[in-house]
Amino acid sequence: MLAAPVLLLLLVPFSPSSAAQLPNPGQAKVALVATNGQPFPWDRMRLPKTVSPFHYDLSLHPNLTTLDFTGVVRIQLDVHEDTRAIVLHAKQMQVSNVWLLAPEGVRPLRVLEYPRFHQLALLSDSVLTKGRRYEVQLEFAANLSDSFHGFYKSSYRSSSGEVRVLASTQFEATFARAAFPCFDEPAFKANFTIQIIREPRHIAISNMPMVKTVALPGGLLEDHFDTSVKMSTYLVAYIVSDFLSVSKTTQHGVKISIYAVAEKIDQTAFALDAAVKLLDFYDDYFDIPYPLPKQDLAAIPDFQSGAMENWGLTTYRETGLLFDPDKSSASDKLGITKVIAHELAHQWFGNLVTMEWWNDLWLNEGFAKFMEYISLDITYPELQVDDFFLGKCFDAMEVDSLSSSHPVSTDVENPTQIQEMFDDVSYDKGACILNMLRDFLTPEAFEIGIIRYLKRYSYQNTVNSHLWESLTDVSDVCMCVCRSVQSGASKWYPGDELDVRAIMDTWTLQEGFPLVTVEVRGREVRLSQERYLKTDDHSLTEGFLWQIPLTYMTSASKTTHRFLLKTKTGVLHLPEEADWVKFNVDMSGYYMVHYAGDGWNSLIKLLQHNHTALSSNDRASLIHNVFQLVSTGKVRLDTALELSLYLSRETEIMAVTQGFGELVPLYKLMEKRDMAALENQMKNYIVDLFRGLIDRQEWTDSGSVSERVLRSYLLLFSCVRNYAPCVTKASQLFDSWRDSDGTVSLPVDITMAVFVIGARTPEGWDFLFEEYRRSLQMSVKSRMKSAMTVSPLQDKLKWCVHHTTLLQSLHGEVMKTQDLPGVVVSVSKNPRGYKLAWDFLRANWPTLIKKSILGCVFFKVQLLCAQVRSFFGSLTEESGSEMRCIRQTYETIEENIRWMDTNRPLLQAWLDKRSHRAAHEDL
């Protein structure tokens, strides 16, 4: 599953009935009581292993008029221990007519419910015998969910104004149980044979191809789907809709189809071609044929996640699948291709081989995120994905540098804890440590190892150690051979046999990441490691130790040298003395580096005089590291700012955007405080720093993908910051577009800058809003929506929050409910809107929880610190008080206050000094 693409918002779907579900381990167990007052025969959140399913026959009849559904499920079971009770999951549904279909005959089973655990117990009068097979049948009924999980209602409005309803599924992580009674844990894999009853005006699709359609009394049709491969319940999927489709066949004979609403089917050509190319790539790369005869990709009008990897039927937000060559931008193409690459990678990583339990979610998501970049680098080299991977590591480090972070592999039990695992640590950190391991083992050894892992555990469930064993098996031999052919590349470390598990356990079983301090004394390099943590409580950094695959290069050699640091401190010797040493080459390792002594000064001099001596990733990592080290007091702010001066000559996207990423937050910390003069000084410094690069940008769609994405970024920033040449040009383009009633074609990559300027006037905002309502291009709508929420017009923002963009979206009117979190964040980042967003969040918190649209907005100012603590402190555990993202919000606020109190005088002095220096140079 791809998490929803929302900046600074941690989406945590929350089920009030699932919080606080386990007794304290230290307390005596309390007998659980079913809803009818009788003892419930099981007292744990996880299901017993006394029985397991091996086949489901599932028949469903969704009614898209009454918005409910009925069904029958027959589950064939293996019995592993003698038992009288079958415990499985069902959530918020009416279960009736439960039968045991045994060799001795059919007999009823008593049913007990324990809603707190979403569990049913089916009780038999006689013992179910170990080693035998049985079958149970349950009838059930429920309403289509009005959230985004389980079997839920979606809708869209046609161009004629008619509201069309469809029903779709989203079962990851614990929502299959809300659609049919099942063993809803990933280790309970089984085959599924599904039938769906529908009206003739609709179609039904599921994981497998349809094998026949049967006419039923009353004019209904029943579609029968082929039996699935063995898979987990969270991968089951079905959709009943009026979608249209387009199809192609891969070189390996797999039918690929894209499904979308009729009026948007003409936006599916790019996704169809991408899916064909990527599925063929994975088929060859993994050396394992895709095991299903078809792969459907469906664009769902209401979809909270970014996408979902259901086997054979992947589902997407419309923005994640639909592409208009005339209206979509370069970043849209990059994003869509990455999403498809992610979900198709899951067909092997996650679907074919599945983590045993949600504590190892990263085995699914980290790999899929990592494979986005591996696959696109080969299949779509023109997208230049390497220019964007490093940003994922920086995103992960932002969360992982907080004491409230968690290990990549973390113990979880209840659904709320499970859902919190879908975060930057599981996805982005998972991908980054895999990239580090690939560099460590060599790409050749890594590929052999993961293929061995997939083949060895196909249709099974795994834990961390299974992956490490598969990689260790091949790496001892291949690593030495592969390294030897690299020009001058040195061995990682002498002596010991390679133990991948010992190394990687230090990266997956403890939270955070290391800061490596480097001190060069002649040819001797002294090394030490500690946990990097944004806190002034140094006791929280104690007791952490990583095995770190260090890489470094020097002014004296272009060779990448390697050294595995396994201890708290270490020493290595350079072949010869050097003017500078740069560790973590291309930042392939998930760690930060502090250059003690004169180390930072030597690197600053290098950047100022010959910055291209280092790669773009190396430059970006230096920018990131030096500013992050200011937070811990390792580096003075003025040192970091001196390094940033070289950015006036930078042109590469990763280094430029990282420069913005470190500098912009500095003035953001001042926007809502009474320090306008310093805020404006900082804004002016950033504009001056990048003025040359901004002035060279053309208002066209020319250039490579990275150049086009960078152009969009720079022009948007300069317009938001009122840089006169950009404002003038954007105003002219907006006026021309508005005067043509939206018919003039704007260069796609600069539309965001144009829309932002247009939304500054009441007339422009109103026109933009009307165009938003009319548009069928999702990427265009997304840019318009963002522009409207960053408008400086207080009355429009207030109207946004209280009448349309926020409140009506709760009812799916003007804006889809799925977009609500992003809108709240965007308004909250607006200096004129953050109080409106905060008031909305507080006022609507119960509704947001009920509809599983919960987020943590980071209000990073002292003004709101007390309010944030007071509000979240007043919540009960059932309403989300214990969520990790709330703890991260507290930490972020406190860190920003501490940073500002410590560094404001230094920032003021450095900016003043620079102003005087610039004025002197002008004379």
Side-chain angles (χ1 to χ4, degrees):
M1 181 165 68
L2 197 68
V6 180
L7 296 176
L8 295 179
L9 189 71
L10 304 179
L11 291 179
V12 185
F14 182 83
S15 170
S17 65
S18 66
Q21 295 164 324
L22 290 178
N24 187 314
Q27 297 176 344
K29 289 186 178 179
V30 179
L32 304 185
V33 179
T35 52
N36 65 356
Q38 295 181 13
F40 195 78
W42 185 247
D43 62 357
R44 301 176 192 174
M45 174 71 67
R46 300 277 296 274
L47 295 179
K49 293 183 171 61
T50 51
V51 301
S52 64
F54 66 89
H55 187 267
Y56 291 79
D57 274 293
L58 176 61
S59 178
L60 291 149
H61 180 194
N63 188 319
L64 301 192
T65 302
T66 58
L67 302 181
D68 55 19
F69 63 94
T70 57
V72 179
V73 64
R74 293 173 62 170
I75 311 174
Q76 297 179 54
L77 303 168
D78 283 319
V79 177
H80 307 293
E81 297 177 21
D82 288 355
T83 184
R84 292 178 183 269
I86 300 167
V87 181
L88 71 166
H89 289 114
K91 179 183 178 183
Q92 295 177 347
M93 63 175 58
Q94 296 79 49
V95 175
S96 59
N97 297 325
V98 180
W99 301 90
L100 177 70
L101 284 59
E104 303 82 38
V106 177
R107 58 179 185 267
L109 296 173
R110 288 190 299 122
V111 180
L112 299 180
E113 296 181 59
Y114 191 68
R116 196 177 177 199
F117 287 5
H118 309 155
Q119 288 178 359
L120 297 178
L122 314 182
L123 303 183
S124 170
D125 292 334
S126 59
V127 172
L128 305 182
T129 307
K130 176 181 178 180
R132 294 183 61 183
R133 286 188 165 181
Y134 297 83
E135 188 171 5
V136 294
Q137 177 175 300
L138 305 91
E139 297 179 15
F140 57 94
N143 293 321
L144 289 171
S145 172
D146 62 355
S147 69
F148 298 98
H149 302 98
F151 194 20
Y152 71 93
K153 181 201 80 168
S154 176
S155 65
Y156 68 95
R157 191 180 297 273
S158 70
S159 57
S160 64
E162 180 187 1
V163 174
R164 307 278 182 86
V165 177
L166 60 131
S168 184
T169 57
Q170 171 60 41
F171 290 164
E172 190 175 34
T174 57
F175 299 103
R177 65 191 65 173
F180 61 97
C182 58
F183 294 78
D184 198 16
E185 295 181 5
F188 286 106
K189 288 190 171 186
N191 304 103
F192 293 81
T193 305
I194 295 174
Q195 300 92 41
I196 296 177
I197 299 172
R198 60 176 172 87
E199 296 179 65
R201 64 193 176 105
H202 293 132
I203 64 166
I205 51 177
S206 185
N207 303 86
M208 299 298 292
M210 187 170 62
V211 293
K212 67 177 179 178
T213 298
V214 178
L216 300 179
L220 296 175
L221 300 174
E222 183 178 62
D223 293 331
H224 292 237
F225 297 91
D226 206 352
T227 300
S228 76
V229 295
K230 189 177 177 183
M231 64 184 187
S232 304
T233 51
Y234 77 87
L235 295 171
V236 174
Y238 35 86
I239 301 170
V240 179
S241 70
D242 60 354
F243 287 173
L244 298 182
S245 66
V246 293
S247 303
K248 283 189 176 181
T249 302
T250 70
Q251 293 177 1
H252 295 82
V254 179
K255 183 181 179 182
I256 306 287
S257 301
I258 310 287
Y259 287 82
V261 303
E263 291 167 320
K264 299 173 184 175
I265 197 68
D266 60 346
Q267 300 177 45
T268 58
F270 176 76
L272 181 59
D273 288 341
V276 168
K277 183 182 288 190
L278 285 162
L279 199 71
D280 273 331
F281 167 80
Y282 287 133
D283 225 312
D284 294 333
Y285 183 87
F286 294 134
D287 194 31
I288 300 173
Y290 176 72
L292 307 186
K294 63 95 174 176
Q295 169 64 229
D296 297 335
L297 299 85
I300 311 298
D302 296 287
F303 198 78
Q304 189 177 61
S305 301
M308 177 62 205
E309 66 266 21
N310 317 300
W311 216 345
L313 174 53
T314 52
T315 48
Y316 302 78
R317 282 193 176 205
E318 290 184 319
T319 51
L321 203 60
L322 304 180
F323 181 85
D324 184 332
D326 298 324
K327 300 288 181 69
S328 299
S329 67
S331 60
D332 293 331
K333 177 180 284 190
L334 176 65
I336 289 169
T337 317
K338 284 172 59 181
V339 171
I340 295 172
H342 183 103
E343 303 313 325
L344 295 188
H346 270 310
Q347 307 303 297
W348 285 264
F349 277 103
N351 299 8
L352 183 67
V353 178
T354 312
M355 76 268 139
E356 186 171 293
W357 180 243
W358 299 106
N359 62 305
D360 281 331
L361 173 68
W362 85 276
L363 284 173
N364 286 14
E365 298 300 349
F367 253 112
K369 175 63 67 176
F370 172 72
M371 288 307 301
E372 290 178 31
Y373 294 88
I374 297 298
S375 62
L376 296 189
D377 186 48
I378 296 170
T379 58
Y380 285 89
E382 69 275 16
L383 293 180
Q384 302 169 292
V385 290
D386 281 349
D387 286 347
F388 303 94
F389 181 78
L390 193 55
K392 298 289 98 182
C393 302
F394 294 150
D395 290 343
M397 285 178 164
E398 183 69 21
V399 175
D400 214 16
S401 63
L402 302 175
S403 62
S404 51
S405 184
H406 64 89
V408 167
S409 182
T410 301
D411 289 338
V412 290
E413 285 291 334
N414 66 53
T416 303
Q417 294 169 345
I418 292 167
Q419 207 66 36
E420 283 193 311
M421 291 294 287
F422 291 82
D423 66 356
D424 285 348
V425 172
S426 295
Y427 286 71
D428 295 341
K429 180 179 179 179
C432 293
I433 62 174
L434 287 170
N435 185 61
M436 176 175 66
L437 181 59
R438 180 174 183 257
D439 180 70
F440 173 67
L441 298 178
T442 74
E444 297 84 357
F446 183 83
E447 182 178 345
I448 293 169
I450 61 173
I451 290 171
R452 176 172 292 192
Y453 166 76
L454 289 172
K455 288 184 175 181
R456 182 178 294 174
Y457 296 105
S458 290
Y459 304 103
Q460 299 179 55
N461 297 84
T462 60
V463 296
N464 269 347
S465 59
H466 293 146
L467 177 61
W468 310 145
E469 289 163 8
S470 297
L471 288 164
T472 299
D473 288 347
V474 299
S475 298
D476 285 323
V477 175
C478 186
M479 183 175 166
C480 296
V481 173
C482 295
R483 286 273 178 241
S484 67
V485 299
Q486 297 178 7
S487 58
S490 56
K491 192 176 178 181
W492 280 102
Y493 63 97
D496 299 345
E497 289 295 315
L498 178 66
D499 188 342
V500 174
R501 179 175 181 176
I503 296 169
M504 295 309 295
D505 278 354
T506 69
W507 295 93
T508 59
L509 302 183
Q510 61 184 351
E511 69 270 24
F513 59 91
L515 168 65
V516 177
T517 297
V518 176
E519 187 173 6
V520 180
R521 297 183 180 180
R523 289 181 53 208
E524 183 180 84
V525 181
R526 297 187 179 183
L527 307 166
S528 63
Q529 63 162 297
E530 61 187 296
R531 183 185 178 186
Y532 175 81
L533 201 60
K534 287 184 177 179
T535 179
D536 52 3
D537 185 353
H538 297 294
S539 66
L540 297 176
T541 65
E542 296 174 359
F544 289 84
L545 183 68
W546 286 265
Q547 293 196 27
I548 311 172
L550 297 177
T551 57
Y552 63 97
M553 58 186 296
T554 76
S555 60
S557 170
K558 293 183 179 179
T559 299
T560 296
H561 299 273
R562 302 173 185 278
F563 181 80
L564 185 67
L565 181 63
K566 302 169 72 173
T567 53
K568 194 76 173 175
T569 61
V571 177
L572 59 84
H573 295 87
L574 302 177
E576 54 188 307
E577 291 193 24
D579 295 329
W580 53 263
V581 178
K582 167 65 172 70
F583 272 76
N584 203 355
V585 176
D586 285 332
M587 201 168 166
S588 57
Y590 187 73
Y591 59 93
M592 286 183 7
V593 183
H594 171 48
Y595 300 91
D598 199 44
W600 277 113
N601 289 334
S602 63
L603 288 166
I604 290 171
K605 289 176 184 176
L606 174 66
L607 291 174
Q608 289 172 342
H609 295 100
N610 184 23
H611 68 279
T612 57
L614 298 176
S615 70
S616 173
N617 275 8
D618 276 325
R619 303 194 301 266
S621 71
L622 289 175
I623 297 164
H624 173 267
N625 287 190
V626 75
F627 276 95
Q628 294 303 309
L629 290 169
V630 172
S631 295
T632 62
K634 297 279 187 182
V635 173
R636 285 170 53 96
L637 177 60
D638 48 5
T639 299
L641 290 168
E642 285 295 321
L643 183 145
S644 75
L645 287 170
Y646 105 89
L647 286 166
S648 63
R649 297 183 298 283
E650 184 60 79
T651 60
E652 297 294 327
I653 185 169
M654 192 65 248
V656 170
T657 54
Q658 195 55 39
F660 277 103
E662 300 298 341
L663 294 169
V664 168
L666 303 192
Y667 74 70
K668 286 289 183 184
L669 291 177
M670 310 170 209
E671 276 187 336
K672 306 174 188 79
R673 296 174 176 230
D674 185 20
M675 50 180 71
L678 181 57
E679 175 191 335
N680 287 327
Q681 269 186 285
M682 189 65 211
K683 289 176 179 177
N684 291 337
Y685 168 63
I686 299 173
V687 172
D688 288 344
L689 194 62
F690 294 102
R691 186 187 306 272
L693 190 57
I694 292 168
D695 289 343
R696 293 197 295 275
Q697 301 305 308
E698 298 176 351
W699 292 69
T700 68
D701 290 334
S702 63
S704 68
V705 169
S706 290
E707 288 169 341
R708 294 176 63 185
V709 172
L710 181 57
R711 176 187 299 127
S712 299
Y713 190 102
L714 289 168
L715 294 181
L716 173 60
F717 171 81
S718 56
C719 281
V720 170
R721 291 279 60 84
N722 295 314
Y723 181 49
C726 289
V727 173
T728 300
K729 181 66 174 178
S731 298
Q732 292 171 351
L733 289 169
F734 184 84
D735 291 343
S736 174
W737 180 64
R738 184 179 60 182
D739 292 344
S740 74
D741 198 27
T743 60
V744 166
S745 181
L746 294 170
V748 177
D749 295 329
I750 55 90
T751 50
M752 188 62 194
V754 173
F755 292 161
V756 162
I757 293 301
R760 290 184 170 185
T761 67
E763 300 79 15
W765 196 98
D766 290 342
F767 180 77
L768 203 60
F769 181 64
E770 288 305 315
E771 288 297 301
Y772 173 86
R773 291 170 65 102
R774 292 191 303 192
S775 178
L776 290 175
Q777 279 75 36
M778 302 311 296
S779 60
V780 176
K781 289 173 75 78
S782 180
R783 290 192 287 274
M784 291 175 175
K785 174 187 66 181
S786 297
M788 289 187 290
T789 57
V790 300
S791 171
L793 301 172
Q794 183 73 23
D795 59 329
K796 292 297 184 186
L797 288 177
K798 187 173 183 179
W799 189 84
C800 252
V801 173
H802 291 291
H803 293 91
T804 303
T805 315
L806 296 183
L807 287 183
Q808 288 194 26
S809 68
L810 287 176
H811 308 290
E813 297 286 338
V814 176
M815 187 172 292
K816 286 288 185 183
T817 308
Q818 65 184 18
D819 296 324
L820 175 62
V823 174
V824 175
V825 168
S826 189
V827 173
S828 75
K829 291 164 66 177
N830 187 329
R832 295 175 180 253
Y834 74 96
K835 289 183 179 179
L836 296 171
W838 174 236
D839 290 342
F840 167 82
L841 197 69
R842 289 188 292 181
N844 292 280
W845 191 264
T847 304
L848 296 172
I849 289 175
K850 182 179 179 181
K851 293 180 72 70
S852 295
I853 318 165
L854 192 60
C856 290
V857 180
F858 289 93
F859 291 90
K860 303 181 180 182
V861 291
Q862 189 168 6
L863 173 66
L864 287 178
C865 185
Q867 294 181 28
V868 171
R869 279 203 173 277
S870 175
F871 174 71
F872 287 119
S874 69
L875 299 178
T876 62
E877 193 167 353
E878 286 75 14
S879 60
S881 65
E882 297 302 312
M883 290 189 303
R884 183 185 296 118
C885 66
I886 291 177
R887 301 197 301 274
Q888 292 171 346
T889 299
Y890 292 157
E891 270 198 82
T892 303
I893 292 172
E894 290 167 353
E895 159 57 22
N896 287 332
I897 293 171
R898 185 174 65 84
W899 191 100
M900 203 63 191
D901 291 344
T902 302
N903 292 293
R904 178 181 175 180
L906 274 172
L907 180 60
Q908 182 75 70
W910 189 87
L911 289 172
D912 288 344
K913 180 180 176 182
R914 181 185 171 278
S915 297
H916 294 320
R917 187 166 55 195
H920 179 74
E921 289 172 355
D922 289 341
L923 294 175

